[in-house]
Amino acid sequence: MKTVQIKDKEFRIYLTADQIDVAVGKVAARINADLAGKNPIFVCVLNGAFVYAADLYRKITIPSQITFMRMKSYSGMQSSGTVKTIASLHESMVDRTVVVVEDIVDTGYTMQRMIAQLRDLGAKEVYVTTLLRKPDACKVPDLKIDYAALEIPNDFIVGYGLDYDEEGRNLPDIYVVND
Ligand code: 5GP
Ligand code: MG
């Protein structure tokens, strides 16, 4: 079994680049069908979602734009519970159909905060797509995730944009920590 070592932790392969590509393609097809004619603006949540956003957005075929916002809630392998906005948006969200692009929804606090901020900025409707979702870790019961590519158990993962202590984002596959 394929493993990688990052700092003090060993990780084993969990989802291959091909499996991810298929799942991303399905999400893109749904968004292309559902949001045609709405001229949506995609908002990628940095840092983790940059790889997913790049792959997803190249499969989007409807007129749309993309921009970036930076949030931070994790340090090491723990969700800190407090979500900080590090860099905010320059584009107007007023009356826009917005699609938040996230790498992973864990407790859900980051997404809850994002959705609230985008509504405050005047967004007409806010959709959420995430590459990964950990349903067992969710602490926001009524959180609306419109397009989740893959659902995973409550384990710590790296690769495809996701880091362990700022490393491993460049791995093309997704790995789970070996305990
Ligand atoms: P939440 O606010 O939903 O608890 O956490 C969301 C953020 O925590 C994600 O955007 C992601 O950056 C980070 N995160 C959550 N789970 C994991 C994980 O298993 N691995 C990594 N590398 N980051 C995670
Ligand atoms: Mg993230």
Side-chain angles (χ1 to χ4, degrees), residues 17-34:
D18 287 345
Q19 290 173 308
I20 299 165
D21 187 60
V22 170
V24 174
K26 286 181 184 168
V27 167
R30 289 176 58 202
I31 293 175
N32 285 329
D34 292 353

Side-chain angles (χ1 to χ4, degrees), residues 135-151:
D136 297 341
C138 190
K139 299 221 167 85
V140 184
D142 54 350
L143 188 67
K144 183 177 77 92
I145 304 294
D146 304 281
Y147 306 101
L150 297 155
E151 291 199 343

Side-chain angles (χ1 to χ4, degrees), residues 45-49 71 101-104 110 162:
V45 186
L46 296 173
N47 291 343
M71 311 276 283
V101 183
E102 177 62 304
D103 50 0
I104 182 163
T110 304
L162 288 135

Side-chain angles (χ1 to χ4, degrees), residues 47-151:
N47 291 343
F50 79 106
V51 177
Y52 175 46
D55 282 352
L56 177 73
Y57 198 55
R58 282 177 296 168
K59 296 180 196 289
I60 296 296
T61 52
I62 57 175
S64 57
Q65 299 86 47
I66 187 165
T67 186
F68 303 86
M69 183 162 176
R70 184 151 186 218
M71 311 276 283
K72 196 169 172 69
S73 77
Y74 247 61
S75 63
M77 292 200 350
Q78 284 291 314
S79 185
S80 69
T82 53
V83 185
K84 277 187 282 187
T85 305
I86 312 280
S88 45
L89 294 162
H90 298 287
E91 295 77 4
S92 171
M93 295 293 125
V94 175
D95 285 335
R96 295 300 310 263
T97 293
V98 179
V99 184
V100 180
V101 183
E102 177 62 304
D103 50 0
I104 182 163
V105 177
D106 182 17
T107 62
Y109 291 134
T110 304
M111 261 321 94
Q112 185 182 41
R113 175 77 183 270
M114 276 293 290
I115 295 165
Q117 283 189 24
L118 290 163
R119 293 233 172 89
D120 285 351
L121 291 169
K124 182 165 71 186
E125 43 183 1
V126 181
Y127 295 90
V128 176
T129 180
T130 184
L131 176 71
L132 302 166
R133 182 177 197 189
K134 295 179 183 171
D136 297 341
C138 190
K139 299 221 167 85
V140 184
D142 54 350
L143 188 67
K144 183 177 77 92
I145 304 294
D146 304 281
Y147 306 101
L150 297 155
E151 291 199 343

